Amino acid sequence: MDEVRRGSSPDAAYPVREVTRLIGDYIEKLGRVWIEGQIVSTKLYGNTYYIAFRDPDADVSLKVVSAAATVEACDPPLQPGARVVLQGSMEWWT
């Protein structure tokens, strides 16, 4: 009998936990990447900055999480509206 490929039919559907694990594994394989975009906002919570980062030419954004010391060392300081290039590793949070 032919083996049914996982995710190929309702009877072989992935559970949500498996899909989120697969997405995380794929994103982790990207390693460190350079990303160009625009700062929308920065919020400091404890020793961590949460930055809204968007593509100025498309309706696409992502969240950047960074140590406060890294953000505070930027010269010039990060400001909303600034276009920047950053390097980082991506992570999928379920």
Side-chain angles (χ1 to χ4, degrees), residues 16-87:
V16 171
R17 68 184 173 278
E18 183 72 8
V19 171
T20 59
R21 185 191 62 76
L22 291 169
I23 292 168
D25 290 350
Y26 180 79
I27 289 173
E28 186 177 301
K29 290 177 186 175
L30 292 171
R32 296 183 67 77
V33 296
W34 289 95
I35 306 170
E36 179 181 7
Q38 184 174 27
I39 303 293
V40 175
S41 65
T42 61
K43 294 187 191 251
L44 177 63
Y45 295 101
N47 291 323
T48 304
Y49 269 94
Y50 295 85
I51 302 165
F53 195 58
R54 73 177 184 97
D55 186 320
D57 300 323
D59 189 18
V60 180
S61 63
L62 55 84
K63 298 292 182 194
V64 174
V65 179
S66 179
T70 301
V71 173
E72 291 164 359
C74 291
D75 186 26
L78 294 183
Q79 298 292 326
R83 290 180 80 145
V84 299
V85 176
L86 57 85
Q87 184 186 45

